[in-house]
Amino acid sequence: MPDESKLPISELQPDQIVQAAITSHQPWGITANLIAYESVGASLDVIRRGSEPGVKALAMNLPPVGTTIDLAIGALRSWHYEPWVWVDLTCP
């Protein structure tokens, strides 16, 4: 049974602040689960977005896996694998 407290993906918008639970560290950045939204893939590519001031600061001190932090939606993309939608995160 789906979690009734989850919000639909259609409510996600660029520049929106979301809570993200860090799920892994990668050589290029972090992956995360978005709190309160149905399943989407989400990541912050610190190599590609490293010139952005907030991302540069985050990259110098990556939060531990399991930490929940506020991030901003940079872009929404269709994805060729399940979960079908990928959220490109950035720092607010």
Side-chain angles (χ1 to χ4, degrees):
M1 175 176 234
D3 184 347
E4 297 294 326
S5 66
K6 298 289 184 180
L7 299 170
I9 295 169
S10 61
E11 292 193 13
L12 292 170
Q13 301 294 321
D15 299 321
Q16 176 183 350
I17 304 300
V18 293
Q19 286 193 318
I22 308 306
T23 56
S24 73
H25 291 168
Q26 302 297 324
W28 45 264
I30 58 175
T31 61
N33 284 332
L34 300 186
I35 307 299
Y37 287 91
E38 46 183 63
S39 182
V40 296
S43 62
L44 192 159
D45 186 330
V46 297
I47 294 172
R48 188 169 43 81
R49 291 188 172 271
S51 63
E52 298 171 14
V55 174
K56 184 180 258 184
L58 181 76
M60 294 176 69
N61 190 21
L62 289 177
V65 171
T67 303
T68 299
I69 61 173
D70 288 340
L71 292 173
I73 296 175
L76 297 162
R77 297 182 279 138
S78 60
W79 193 243
H80 50 279
Y81 298 107
E82 211 170 326
W84 310 116
V85 173
W86 198 266
V87 178
D88 179 24
L89 297 167
T90 189
C91 290

